[in-house]
PDB file of all heavy atoms in Angstrom:
ATOM      1  N   PHE A 101      -3.754  13.202   4.110  1.00 94.00           N
ATOM      2  CA  PHE A 101      -3.478  11.761   4.339  1.00 94.00           C
ATOM      3  C   PHE A 101      -3.797  10.956   3.108  1.00 94.00           C
ATOM      4  O   PHE A 101      -2.896  10.536   2.363  1.00 94.00           O
ATOM      5  CB  PHE A 101      -4.191  11.279   5.552  1.00 94.00           C
ATOM      6  CG  PHE A 101      -3.665   9.953   6.186  1.00 94.00           C
ATOM      7  CD1 PHE A 101      -2.534  10.047   7.012  1.00 94.00           C
ATOM      8  CD2 PHE A 101      -4.197   8.738   5.839  1.00 94.00           C
ATOM      9  CE1 PHE A 101      -1.968   8.885   7.523  1.00 94.00           C
ATOM     10  CE2 PHE A 101      -3.654   7.583   6.356  1.00 94.00           C
ATOM     11  CZ  PHE A 101      -2.548   7.648   7.193  1.00 94.00           C
ATOM     12  N   ARG A 146      -1.793   8.432  -1.602  1.00 97.00           N
ATOM     13  CA  ARG A 146      -1.508   8.941  -0.253  1.00 97.00           C
ATOM     14  C   ARG A 146      -0.569  10.070  -0.299  1.00 97.00           C
ATOM     15  O   ARG A 146       0.496   9.975  -0.841  1.00 97.00           O
ATOM     16  CB  ARG A 146      -0.954   7.826   0.660  1.00 97.00           C
ATOM     17  CG  ARG A 146      -1.896   6.665   0.799  1.00 97.00           C
ATOM     18  CD  ARG A 146      -1.242   5.475   1.503  1.00 97.00           C
ATOM     19  NE  ARG A 146      -1.946   4.232   1.134  1.00 97.00           N
ATOM     20  CZ  ARG A 146      -2.899   3.663   1.836  1.00 97.00           C
ATOM     21  NH1 ARG A 146      -3.221   4.082   3.025  1.00 97.00           N
ATOM     22  NH2 ARG A 146      -3.512   2.544   1.393  1.00 97.00           N
ATOM     23  N   ILE A 148       0.986  11.952   2.608  1.00 97.00           N
ATOM     24  CA  ILE A 148       0.918  11.864   4.057  1.00 97.00           C
ATOM     25  C   ILE A 148       1.720  13.037   4.742  1.00 97.00           C
ATOM     26  O   ILE A 148       2.931  13.122   4.466  1.00 97.00           O
ATOM     27  CB  ILE A 148       1.486  10.521   4.585  1.00 97.00           C
ATOM     28  CG1 ILE A 148       0.674   9.343   3.787  1.00 97.00           C
ATOM     29  CG2 ILE A 148       1.469  10.375   6.099  1.00 97.00           C
ATOM     30  CD1 ILE A 148       0.243   8.240   4.518  1.00 97.00           C
ATOM     31  N   GLY A 153       1.750   7.443  10.586  1.00 95.00           N
ATOM     32  CA  GLY A 153       1.581   6.635   9.422  1.00 95.00           C
ATOM     33  C   GLY A 153       0.375   5.662   9.491  1.00 95.00           C
ATOM     34  O   GLY A 153      -0.390   5.805  10.465  1.00 95.00           O
ATOM     35  N   THR A 154       0.376   4.782   8.511  1.00 95.00           N
ATOM     36  CA  THR A 154      -0.841   3.865   8.483  1.00 95.00           C
ATOM     37  C   THR A 154      -0.656   2.697   9.386  1.00 95.00           C
ATOM     38  O   THR A 154       0.388   2.059   9.391  1.00 95.00           O
ATOM     39  CB  THR A 154      -0.870   3.323   6.966  1.00 95.00           C
ATOM     40  OG1 THR A 154      -0.740   4.407   6.053  1.00 95.00           O
ATOM     41  CG2 THR A 154      -2.157   2.507   6.744  1.00 95.00           C
ATOM     42  N   PRO A 155      -1.667   2.387  10.226  1.00 96.00           N
ATOM     43  CA  PRO A 155      -1.527   1.201  11.146  1.00 96.00           C
ATOM     44  C   PRO A 155      -1.454  -0.121  10.444  1.00 96.00           C
ATOM     45  O   PRO A 155      -1.853  -0.257   9.250  1.00 96.00           O
ATOM     46  CB  PRO A 155      -2.860   1.310  11.922  1.00 96.00           C
ATOM     47  CG  PRO A 155      -3.371   2.687  11.712  1.00 96.00           C
ATOM     48  CD  PRO A 155      -2.942   3.131  10.443  1.00 96.00           C
ATOM     49  N   HIS A 157      -2.013  -3.716   8.974  1.00 97.00           N
ATOM     50  CA  HIS A 157      -3.176  -4.408   8.395  1.00 97.00           C
ATOM     51  C   HIS A 157      -2.786  -5.363   7.314  1.00 97.00           C
ATOM     52  O   HIS A 157      -1.603  -5.358   6.908  1.00 97.00           O
ATOM     53  CB  HIS A 157      -4.233  -3.390   7.931  1.00 97.00           C
ATOM     54  CG  HIS A 157      -3.682  -2.647   6.760  1.00 97.00           C
ATOM     55  ND1 HIS A 157      -2.771  -1.571   6.876  1.00 97.00           N
ATOM     56  CD2 HIS A 157      -3.901  -2.786   5.443  1.00 97.00           C
ATOM     57  CE1 HIS A 157      -2.506  -1.106   5.730  1.00 97.00           C
ATOM     58  NE2 HIS A 157      -3.093  -1.781   4.768  1.00 97.00           N
ATOM     59  N   ASP A 159      -4.194  -6.402   3.424  1.00 98.00           N
ATOM     60  CA  ASP A 159      -5.120  -5.861   2.361  1.00 98.00           C
ATOM     61  C   ASP A 159      -6.376  -6.678   2.099  1.00 98.00           C
ATOM     62  O   ASP A 159      -7.369  -6.241   1.687  1.00 98.00           O
ATOM     63  CB  ASP A 159      -4.376  -5.597   1.050  1.00 98.00           C
ATOM     64  CG  ASP A 159      -3.524  -4.315   1.114  1.00 98.00           C
ATOM     65  OD1 ASP A 159      -3.616  -3.585   2.104  1.00 98.00           O
ATOM     66  OD2 ASP A 159      -2.706  -4.139   0.179  1.00 98.00           O
ATOM     67  N   MET A 163     -10.433  -5.956   0.247  1.00 97.00           N
ATOM     68  CA  MET A 163     -10.611  -6.252  -1.139  1.00 97.00           C
ATOM     69  C   MET A 163     -10.660  -7.772  -1.470  1.00 97.00           C
ATOM     70  O   MET A 163     -10.132  -8.182  -2.546  1.00 97.00           O
ATOM     71  CB  MET A 163      -9.555  -5.530  -2.005  1.00 97.00           C
ATOM     72  CG  MET A 163      -8.068  -5.802  -1.515  1.00 97.00           C
ATOM     73  SD  MET A 163      -6.891  -4.656  -2.194  1.00 97.00           S
ATOM     74  CE  MET A 163      -7.158  -3.179  -1.223  1.00 97.00           C
ATOM     75  N   THR A 172      -0.725  -6.137  -4.503  1.00 98.00           N
ATOM     76  CA  THR A 172      -0.628  -4.654  -4.351  1.00 98.00           C
ATOM     77  C   THR A 172       0.750  -4.211  -4.952  1.00 98.00           C
ATOM     78  O   THR A 172       1.742  -4.862  -4.661  1.00 98.00           O
ATOM     79  CB  THR A 172      -0.701  -4.276  -2.849  1.00 98.00           C
ATOM     80  OG1 THR A 172      -2.022  -4.549  -2.339  1.00 98.00           O
ATOM     81  CG2 THR A 172      -0.418  -2.789  -2.627  1.00 98.00           C
ATOM     82  N   ALA A 173       0.712  -3.067  -5.684  1.00 98.00           N
ATOM     83  CA  ALA A 173       1.983  -2.430  -6.029  1.00 98.00           C
ATOM     84  C   ALA A 173       2.035  -1.101  -5.261  1.00 98.00           C
ATOM     85  O   ALA A 173       1.179  -0.215  -5.480  1.00 98.00           O
ATOM     86  CB  ALA A 173       2.087  -2.174  -7.535  1.00 98.00           C
ATOM     87  N   TRP A 174       2.974  -1.006  -4.369  1.00 98.00           N
ATOM     88  CA  TRP A 174       3.159   0.242  -3.587  1.00 98.00           C
ATOM     89  C   TRP A 174       4.297   1.032  -4.311  1.00 98.00           C
ATOM     90  O   TRP A 174       5.421   0.539  -4.494  1.00 98.00           O
ATOM     91  CB  TRP A 174       3.583  -0.056  -2.216  1.00 98.00           C
ATOM     92  CG  TRP A 174       3.697   1.097  -1.281  1.00 98.00           C
ATOM     93  CD1 TRP A 174       2.637   1.705  -0.621  1.00 98.00           C
ATOM     94  CD2 TRP A 174       4.850   1.832  -0.968  1.00 98.00           C
ATOM     95  NE1 TRP A 174       3.136   2.803   0.109  1.00 98.00           N
ATOM     96  CE2 TRP A 174       4.494   2.900  -0.100  1.00 98.00           C
ATOM     97  CE3 TRP A 174       6.212   1.767  -1.277  1.00 98.00           C
ATOM     98  CZ2 TRP A 174       5.382   3.847   0.434  1.00 98.00           C
ATOM     99  CZ3 TRP A 174       7.101   2.611  -0.815  1.00 98.00           C
ATOM    100  CH2 TRP A 174       6.714   3.698   0.033  1.00 98.00           C
ATOM    101  N   GLY A 186       8.658   5.079   4.839  1.00 97.00           N
ATOM    102  CA  GLY A 186       7.724   4.515   3.923  1.00 97.00           C
ATOM    103  C   GLY A 186       7.000   3.276   4.397  1.00 97.00           C
ATOM    104  O   GLY A 186       6.752   3.046   5.563  1.00 97.00           O
ATOM    105  N   LEU A 187       6.788   2.400   3.430  1.00 98.00           N
ATOM    106  CA  LEU A 187       6.046   1.154   3.692  1.00 98.00           C
ATOM    107  C   LEU A 187       6.966   0.214   4.551  1.00 98.00           C
ATOM    108  O   LEU A 187       8.149   0.163   4.421  1.00 98.00           O
ATOM    109  CB  LEU A 187       5.906   0.396   2.310  1.00 98.00           C
ATOM    110  CG  LEU A 187       5.195  -0.947   2.372  1.00 98.00           C
ATOM    111  CD1 LEU A 187       3.655  -0.757   2.589  1.00 98.00           C
ATOM    112  CD2 LEU A 187       5.435  -1.729   1.043  1.00 98.00           C
ATOM    113  N   TRP A 229      -7.946  -2.348  10.715  1.00 93.00           N
ATOM    114  CA  TRP A 229      -6.592  -2.305  11.261  1.00 93.00           C
ATOM    115  C   TRP A 229      -6.404  -3.559  12.225  1.00 93.00           C
ATOM    116  O   TRP A 229      -7.353  -3.932  12.903  1.00 93.00           O
ATOM    117  CB  TRP A 229      -6.272  -1.083  12.108  1.00 93.00           C
ATOM    118  CG  TRP A 229      -6.596   0.299  11.564  1.00 93.00           C
ATOM    119  CD1 TRP A 229      -7.263   1.338  12.092  1.00 93.00           C
ATOM    120  CD2 TRP A 229      -6.174   0.733  10.150  1.00 93.00           C
ATOM    121  NE1 TRP A 229      -7.244   2.365  11.218  1.00 93.00           N
ATOM    122  CE2 TRP A 229      -6.609   2.055  10.010  1.00 93.00           C
ATOM    123  CE3 TRP A 229      -5.459   0.125   9.108  1.00 93.00           C
ATOM    124  CZ2 TRP A 229      -6.379   2.793   8.869  1.00 93.00           C
ATOM    125  CZ3 TRP A 229      -5.254   0.806   7.909  1.00 93.00           C
ATOM    126  CH2 TRP A 229      -5.701   2.138   7.868  1.00 93.00           C
ATOM    127  N   PHE A 258       3.281  -6.829  -3.188  1.00 98.00           N
ATOM    128  CA  PHE A 258       3.013  -7.797  -2.101  1.00 98.00           C
ATOM    129  C   PHE A 258       1.695  -8.455  -2.139  1.00 98.00           C
ATOM    130  O   PHE A 258       0.814  -7.983  -2.855  1.00 98.00           O
ATOM    131  CB  PHE A 258       3.370  -7.131  -0.703  1.00 98.00           C
ATOM    132  CG  PHE A 258       2.545  -5.938  -0.389  1.00 98.00           C
ATOM    133  CD1 PHE A 258       1.398  -5.885   0.270  1.00 98.00           C
ATOM    134  CD2 PHE A 258       3.105  -4.618  -0.727  1.00 98.00           C
ATOM    135  CE1 PHE A 258       0.669  -4.800   0.580  1.00 98.00           C
ATOM    136  CE2 PHE A 258       2.426  -3.429  -0.386  1.00 98.00           C
ATOM    137  CZ  PHE A 258       1.215  -3.579   0.298  1.00 98.00           C
ATOM    138  N   HIS A 264       1.335  -5.315   6.940  1.00 98.00           N
ATOM    139  CA  HIS A 264       2.120  -4.159   6.567  1.00 98.00           C
ATOM    140  C   HIS A 264       1.504  -2.876   7.123  1.00 98.00           C
ATOM    141  O   HIS A 264       0.376  -2.896   7.615  1.00 98.00           O
ATOM    142  CB  HIS A 264       2.345  -4.081   5.029  1.00 98.00           C
ATOM    143  CG  HIS A 264       1.018  -3.848   4.341  1.00 98.00           C
ATOM    144  ND1 HIS A 264       0.182  -4.916   4.074  1.00 98.00           N
ATOM    145  CD2 HIS A 264       0.487  -2.718   3.811  1.00 98.00           C
ATOM    146  CE1 HIS A 264      -0.904  -4.393   3.476  1.00 98.00           C
ATOM    147  NE2 HIS A 264      -0.737  -3.130   3.268  1.00 98.00           N
ATOM    148  N   GLY A 265       2.256  -1.772   7.042  1.00 98.00           N
ATOM    149  CA  GLY A 265       1.722  -0.526   7.448  1.00 98.00           C
ATOM    150  C   GLY A 265       2.675   0.601   6.929  1.00 98.00           C
ATOM    151  O   GLY A 265       3.591   0.320   6.190  1.00 98.00           O
ATOM    152  N   GLY A 266       2.505   1.769   7.404  1.00 97.00           N
ATOM    153  CA  GLY A 266       3.353   2.855   7.013  1.00 97.00           C
ATOM    154  C   GLY A 266       4.101   3.443   8.243  1.00 97.00           C
ATOM    155  O   GLY A 266       3.500   3.530   9.322  1.00 97.00           O
ATOM    156  N   MET A 267       5.273   3.790   8.038  1.00 98.00           N
ATOM    157  CA  MET A 267       6.007   4.449   9.115  1.00 98.00           C
ATOM    158  C   MET A 267       5.575   5.893   9.225  1.00 98.00           C
ATOM    159  O   MET A 267       5.017   6.498   8.296  1.00 98.00           O
ATOM    160  CB  MET A 267       7.520   4.392   8.838  1.00 98.00           C
ATOM    161  CG  MET A 267       8.035   2.917   8.805  1.00 98.00           C
ATOM    162  SD  MET A 267       9.687   2.802   9.283  1.00 98.00           S
ATOM    163  CE  MET A 267      10.450   3.956   8.263  1.00 98.00           C
ATOM    164  N   ARG A 275       4.760  12.776   2.237  1.00 98.00           N
ATOM    165  CA  ARG A 275       5.219  11.504   1.619  1.00 98.00           C
ATOM    166  C   ARG A 275       4.097  11.094   0.584  1.00 98.00           C
ATOM    167  O   ARG A 275       2.982  10.883   1.026  1.00 98.00           O
ATOM    168  CB  ARG A 275       5.311  10.510   2.714  1.00 98.00           C
ATOM    169  CG  ARG A 275       5.796   9.193   2.124  1.00 98.00           C
ATOM    170  CD  ARG A 275       6.012   8.086   3.092  1.00 98.00           C
ATOM    171  NE  ARG A 275       4.867   7.340   3.490  1.00 98.00           N
ATOM    172  CZ  ARG A 275       4.522   7.066   4.621  1.00 98.00           C
ATOM    173  NH1 ARG A 275       5.214   7.427   5.679  1.00 98.00           N
ATOM    174  NH2 ARG A 275       3.457   6.352   4.898  1.00 98.00           N
ATOM    175  N   SER A 277       2.708   8.590  -2.301  1.00 98.00           N
ATOM    176  CA  SER A 277       2.798   7.237  -2.873  1.00 98.00           C
ATOM    177  C   SER A 277       1.469   6.839  -3.351  1.00 98.00           C
ATOM    178  O   SER A 277       0.425   7.377  -2.973  1.00 98.00           O
ATOM    179  CB  SER A 277       3.350   6.257  -1.802  1.00 98.00           C
ATOM    180  OG  SER A 277       2.337   6.122  -0.793  1.00 98.00           O
ATOM    181  N   SER A 278       1.469   5.797  -4.167  1.00 98.00           N
ATOM    182  CA  SER A 278       0.168   5.173  -4.604  1.00 98.00           C
ATOM    183  C   SER A 278       0.268   3.743  -4.316  1.00 98.00           C
ATOM    184  O   SER A 278       1.282   3.119  -4.258  1.00 98.00           O
ATOM    185  CB  SER A 278      -0.072   5.404  -6.066  1.00 98.00           C
ATOM    186  OG  SER A 278       0.836   4.631  -6.867  1.00 98.00           O
ATOM    187  N   ASP A 279      -0.920   3.118  -3.995  1.00 97.00           N
ATOM    188  CA  ASP A 279      -1.055   1.716  -4.046  1.00 97.00           C
ATOM    189  C   ASP A 279      -2.147   1.331  -4.995  1.00 97.00           C
ATOM    190  O   ASP A 279      -3.227   1.872  -5.070  1.00 97.00           O
ATOM    191  CB  ASP A 279      -1.216   1.000  -2.744  1.00 97.00           C
ATOM    192  CG  ASP A 279      -1.797   1.841  -1.592  1.00 97.00           C
ATOM    193  OD1 ASP A 279      -1.242   2.773  -1.107  1.00 97.00           O
ATOM    194  OD2 ASP A 279      -2.881   1.363  -1.142  1.00 97.00           O
ATOM    195  N   SER A 280      -1.774   0.346  -5.842  1.00 98.00           N
ATOM    196  CA  SER A 280      -2.679  -0.049  -6.950  1.00 98.00           C
ATOM    197  C   SER A 280      -2.728  -1.552  -6.965  1.00 98.00           C
ATOM    198  O   SER A 280      -1.865  -2.226  -6.425  1.00 98.00           O
ATOM    199  CB  SER A 280      -2.212   0.512  -8.285  1.00 98.00           C
ATOM    200  OG  SER A 280      -0.859   0.286  -8.465  1.00 98.00           O
ATOM    201  N   ARG A 281      -3.769  -2.195  -7.603  1.00 98.00           N
ATOM    202  CA  ARG A 281      -3.938  -3.640  -7.380  1.00 98.00           C
ATOM    203  C   ARG A 281      -4.082  -4.372  -8.793  1.00 98.00           C
ATOM    204  O   ARG A 281      -4.738  -3.845  -9.693  1.00 98.00           O
ATOM    205  CB  ARG A 281      -5.156  -3.990  -6.578  1.00 98.00           C
ATOM    206  CG  ARG A 281      -4.918  -4.065  -5.112  1.00 98.00           C
ATOM    207  CD  ARG A 281      -4.885  -2.731  -4.453  1.00 98.00           C
ATOM    208  NE  ARG A 281      -4.160  -2.803  -3.226  1.00 98.00           N
ATOM    209  CZ  ARG A 281      -4.034  -1.756  -2.364  1.00 98.00           C
ATOM    210  NH1 ARG A 281      -4.546  -0.611  -2.674  1.00 98.00           N
ATOM    211  NH2 ARG A 281      -3.285  -1.913  -1.234  1.00 98.00           N
TER     212      ARG A 281
HETATM  213  O1  AKG B 420       1.597   3.895   2.242  1.00 63.98           O
HETATM  214  C1  AKG B 420       1.130   3.609   3.327  1.00 63.98           C
HETATM  215  O2  AKG B 420       1.085   4.289   4.270  1.00 63.98           O
HETATM  216  C2  AKG B 420       0.446   2.267   3.524  1.00 63.98           C
HETATM  217  C3  AKG B 420       0.301   1.552   2.284  1.00 63.98           C
HETATM  218  C4  AKG B 420      -0.656   0.417   2.298  1.00 63.98           C
HETATM  219  O3  AKG B 420      -1.260   0.149   3.341  1.00 63.98           O
HETATM  220  C5  AKG B 420      -0.909  -0.425   1.184  1.00 63.98           C
HETATM  221  O4  AKG B 420      -0.264  -0.237   0.123  1.00 63.98           O
HETATM  222  O5  AKG B 420      -1.802  -1.324   1.252  1.00 63.98           O
END
Side-chain angles (χ1 to χ4, degrees):
F101 200 81
R146 299 172 204 260
I148 307 220
T154 311
H157 63 281
D159 283 349
M163 51 195 78
T172 295
W174 185 84
L187 180 76
W229 307 136
F258 56 90
H264 62 282
M267 296 209 308
R275 180 176 87 223
S277 67
S278 67
D279 27 295
S280 46
R281 270 85 201 181

